[in-house]
Amino acid sequence: MAAGEDTSGHKFSFSLLSGKTFSFIQDKNTSELFMKWSMLGRITAQAFNFDQPFQPYKQHEFAFDFFNDPCVMSNLKMIGGPGSWKPLEREVTKVNVELVPCTKLSMDLFDPLYSHGIVHPSGHIAKCFHEYYADFDELRKMLLIEDSENYEIISLEDREEFLFRLLKHICLGGELCQYEDTVGPYIDTTRLIYKDMVSVNKDPETKEIRVVSTVLKVSAYDHSGLCYPSDREEEQTFAYLVVDPFRRHVYVLYHSYGVGISAAHEECALR
């Protein structure tokens, strides 16, 4: 759904939280995996705070104000070239916002991968034949092919969850992705990102732990058309705003599909 300018007169204002760190960005092992998956140098996370109470029904106004805030325009990162970043720095005229379900508190969502033979007890991913891909497996088949026998072992409702979307993004990777033989690196990286991005608290009445973050998948347009997260639509190019209404923090998870930084690039940079 698209949204134009908020006419209420009460705009959200934002400030960059430059001191906020994300484990999945700093972790050396995760960086090595991102390199293998052609995502290194093309995936990032940032944090901002905001000045007004947030409710999910304000998602469109929130996103529009976010992209047009001077601090965000000057600091929001997007791909500027191979291994380089640039700020948004443009006036946004329209935003598309999708409210993404985010309710999961564990990785149990992925148990059917094991019970249906997509992943062997050893953790190895079952291989399969594909007409076009020489090195294909049952995991990518389940993620991508709607008429495959295992597509609905994870319900259509759960496939909409932020946790599932993260796993899918990680498994599919970038343009020169080298796929894993075992599921562990995918699951571990998904868990790390999810814990970094999503906030939980204890319900004061039921005492149960619950997710309090609101997740918005966003894209933005300027006078020339689509401008963020890229000027081209691609399933593996994405941006999510993860809003913590209690801390008044919003975390940005961004990835632009393409050729990531490789070991060869890093060696050249060190010379």
Side-chain angles (χ1 to χ4, degrees), residues 67 78 88 90-96 218-234 237:
F67 283 110
M78 58 185 299
L88 176 64
R90 65 191 71 196
E91 180 185 357
V92 166
T93 59
K94 185 182 79 169
V95 294
N96 283 346
V218 294
S219 56
Y221 297 75
D222 63 11
H223 295 287
S224 299
L226 182 65
C227 65
Y228 181 91
S230 173
D231 58 2
R232 300 190 309 274
E233 291 191 14
E234 157 61 49
T237 294

Side-chain angles (χ1 to χ4, degrees), residues 187-246:
I187 296 291
D188 292 344
T189 303
T190 299
R191 180 190 292 111
L192 190 59
I193 297 174
Y194 195 75
K195 288 180 66 176
D196 266 349
M197 303 301 294
V198 174
S199 301
V200 300
N201 70 7
K202 182 181 288 187
D203 187 293
E205 296 181 0
T206 66
K207 307 303 181 183
E208 294 182 350
I209 302 298
R210 61 179 182 177
V211 173
V212 297
S213 297
T214 296
V215 180
L216 309 174
K217 187 177 184 181
V218 294
S219 56
Y221 297 75
D222 63 11
H223 295 287
S224 299
L226 182 65
C227 65
Y228 181 91
S230 173
D231 58 2
R232 300 190 309 274
E233 291 191 14
E234 157 61 49
E235 185 176 5
Q236 283 293 95
T237 294
F238 56 81
Y240 295 97
L241 304 183
V242 184
V243 185
D244 182 332
F246 294 98

